[in-house]
Amino acid sequence: MNSNSVIVIFYNRLYNPLIIKELKKSFYEVYSLFIDEGKIGDVEEIELECMAAGADHFIYKDYRAQFANNIISKAIKANAIYQEGYHLSAALSRPALAEAAVEVAEELGIDYIAHQFRGNDQVRMDMNIEILGKKPLASLRHFSYTDEDVYKYAINYGIPLEFGCNNPYSTSENMWGLTIECGDLEYPDNQIPEDVKQVISRAANDSAKPIVVSVTFEKGIPIKLNNKEKEIHQIIKELNDIGGRYLTGVFDMVEDGVVGLKSRAIYQSPAAHILITAHKQLELFCSNRHENWFKETIDKKWTEMVYSGLWYDPLMDHLNAFIDSVNSNVNGVISLEIGKYYVRVISRHSDTSIYDPTMAIYNCGHLYSQSDAEGFSKIFNIHSKCSAIKKRKQHDS
């Protein structure tokens, strides 16, 4: 391995140049790596900024298909929504970034991978990179420049002070969603500030009328949008464009962090919200009640594991095996109406669903006599009835 070289994963334009300068003090060769997970960015300008800061090489890696196929697909099958509002866009991104960076490091024979994360994310990145056999460096952990130094450098070299680069907000964005934290959002009694509203409304169209879209699933994976076969990342991009016009998938929530402390964030995940809404309804349609009831427990655990950064924990293999097994029967088409602030399922079709119109609850009189219900009712309610009677007697006495 080459201990004189390091790969640094690009994260934001504000800190990136000075991180490169800092790494050049310890490494002869610095590779700046831009991993594309679906966030819009001017790659050519970023490359110029990296090279001007002293990077020896700039590498662009398109990881959209792998991110969607290898990671997001699992989240869809697991109906992954943390505490009813967070679709894990940042948490799912970290193992993807680590995987992509390690692929590049293996190709170049480089041992060290630096990242630009703080807080919980630095733990996730350190752990994922190390598990994959490389040596992680948390660039901001021992960063020698002050915030004033960072801003002065940006102004002097014409680097835009992008929204979300600690000014005062912190953001994370990829194809699966946008996260906005910090600033005035740290006070839950504050309403969403106007500058945040402008960001989440950047693609909104107030005059757009509700539309209908259809998503076709095979084994729990979206394979067609409006009956046209597409790659998962292409479906996600189109649904982000559509959902963005209607402000679909915007959540303002206070969540329980990994260590139990609460934090507030604004999440915008149009495609994630649409696809998981569709998938969950199709899954309910295709599976029996015991599968559906138990899978809710499995999905919740899967989501908590990802949120905690435990992507490579052995338990994830067992959870994914069960989730894949259930989804082997999740095939069909879900049609949804998308309007301002909402998405709702309007029709379902599946050749593998266990639903039978002739056995719907009000159409299955031919299966049993109504008089049979009397015995079932007594047996079904006996425990509740006995408990209620005993409790009432204790109360009366």
Side-chain angles (χ1 to χ4, degrees), residues 30-322:
V30 174
Y31 290 76
S32 183
L33 174 61
F34 183 100
I35 301 169
D36 188 349
E37 294 181 302
K39 178 184 177 181
I40 299 171
D42 193 326
V43 179
E44 290 184 0
E45 285 191 9
I46 290 170
E47 179 179 1
L48 289 174
E49 292 164 9
C50 293
M51 301 305 288
D56 300 284
H57 310 275
F58 180 86
I59 300 172
Y60 168 82
K61 188 172 181 65
D62 186 347
Y63 214 64
R64 290 173 295 178
Q66 292 94 323
F67 183 33
N69 295 334
N70 301 338
I71 293 179
I72 290 176
S73 64
K74 291 180 172 62
I76 294 171
K77 289 189 287 187
N79 301 310
I81 308 175
Y82 182 72
Q83 296 191 336
E84 300 184 5
Y86 176 36
H87 292 78
L88 303 178
S89 55
L92 289 166
S93 163
R94 305 321 177 222
L97 290 174
E99 285 181 5
V102 168
E103 285 180 12
V104 174
E106 286 290 340
E107 292 170 4
L108 297 173
I110 293 174
D111 201 14
Y112 291 92
I113 298 176
H115 62 80
Q116 304 177 8
F117 292 100
R118 288 173 168 164
N120 290 335
D121 277 333
Q122 71 173 306
V123 178
R124 290 171 178 149
M125 291 301 296
D126 284 356
M127 178 170 56
N128 290 337
I129 291 169
E130 194 167 11
I131 286 171
L132 294 174
K134 299 299 177 182
K135 297 179 180 179
L137 298 174
S139 301
L140 292 177
R141 192 177 294 155
H142 305 292
F143 194 54
S144 63
Y145 295 98
T146 66
D147 284 346
E148 185 178 353
D149 294 332
V150 171
Y151 284 104
K152 280 183 178 178
Y153 185 95
I155 292 169
N156 289 339
Y157 287 88
I159 297 173
L161 301 179
E162 293 180 321
F163 178 90
C165 292
N166 296 345
N167 55 345
Y169 307 105
S170 175
T171 67
S172 177
E173 186 174 14
N174 56 60
M175 70 172 75
W176 204 232
L178 166 68
T179 301
I180 306 175
E181 300 174 293
C182 302
D184 287 343
L185 294 173
E186 291 182 340
Y187 303 92
D189 53 341
N190 287 345
Q191 296 186 23
I192 300 178
E194 286 302 316
D195 50 355
V196 174
K197 287 182 180 179
Q198 289 175 11
V199 171
I200 61 178
S201 302
R202 57 194 169 184
N205 183 349
D206 291 335
S207 62
K209 296 180 180 179
I211 62 169
V212 173
V213 301
S214 67
V215 183
T216 302
F217 290 85
E218 185 177 282
K219 295 184 178 181
I221 299 297
I223 60 169
K224 294 180 182 178
L225 181 61
N226 294 328
N227 209 33
K228 294 181 180 178
E229 194 166 328
K230 298 177 183 292
E231 296 291 328
I232 301 174
H233 71 279
Q234 295 171 331
I235 292 174
I236 291 170
K237 184 181 185 308
E238 288 195 34
L239 289 177
N240 275 330
D241 292 341
I242 293 169
R245 295 199 295 268
Y246 295 93
L247 290 173
T248 303
V250 176
F251 296 88
D252 176 352
M253 61 181 291
V254 175
E255 69 200 51
D256 293 310
V258 174
V259 297
L261 300 177
K262 294 188 180 294
S263 61
R264 184 192 185 190
I266 308 300
Y267 296 112
Q268 184 174 31
S269 306
H273 185 50
I274 294 166
L275 285 172
I276 289 181
T277 297
H279 173 268
K280 189 169 186 177
Q281 288 301 310
L282 182 62
E283 189 176 69
L284 289 169
F285 186 48
C286 292
S287 308
N288 72 27
R289 68 173 182 170
H290 301 293
E291 291 172 313
N292 287 326
W293 288 350
F294 189 66
K295 190 167 183 295
E296 286 185 358
T297 300
I298 298 299
D299 288 347
K300 184 173 184 291
K301 185 61 179 178
W302 191 96
T303 300
E304 290 171 349
M305 293 285 286
V306 173
Y307 185 85
S308 299
L310 301 174
W311 183 258
Y312 294 105
D313 190 277
L315 178 57
M316 289 294 288
D317 293 333
H318 304 306
L319 296 177
N320 282 320
F322 175 82

Side-chain angles (χ1 to χ4, degrees), residues 325-359:
S325 178
V326 171
N327 274 272
S328 65
N329 197 49
V330 180
N331 310 294
V333 183
I334 293 288
S335 294
L336 313 102
E337 180 181 278
I338 302 173
K340 193 169 184 180
Y341 302 122
Y342 76 88
V343 54
R344 64 185 182 91
V345 173
I346 58 175
S347 72
R348 307 157 180 82
H349 172 79
S350 174
D351 292 331
T352 57
S353 171
I354 65 170
Y355 184 88
D356 184 346
T358 66
M359 293 181 64

Side-chain angles (χ1 to χ4, degrees), residues 327-397:
N327 274 272
S328 65
N329 197 49
V330 180
N331 310 294
V333 183
I334 293 288
S335 294
L336 313 102
E337 180 181 278
I338 302 173
K340 193 169 184 180
Y341 302 122
Y342 76 88
V343 54
R344 64 185 182 91
V345 173
I346 58 175
S347 72
R348 307 157 180 82
H349 172 79
S350 174
D351 292 331
T352 57
S353 171
I354 65 170
Y355 184 88
D356 184 346
T358 66
M359 293 181 64
I361 190 167
Y362 293 112
N363 295 331
C364 58
H366 62 285
L367 294 178
Y368 59 85
S369 168
Q370 289 297 318
S371 61
D372 294 339
E374 182 176 355
F376 172 78
S377 178
K378 289 181 179 179
I379 294 171
F380 183 76
N381 292 320
I382 190 168
H383 295 290
S384 296
K385 178 182 176 182
C386 290
S387 298
I389 290 173
K390 184 176 182 180
K391 186 175 182 179
R392 189 178 64 194
K393 286 181 178 179
Q394 291 174 341
H395 181 268
D396 291 343
S397 62

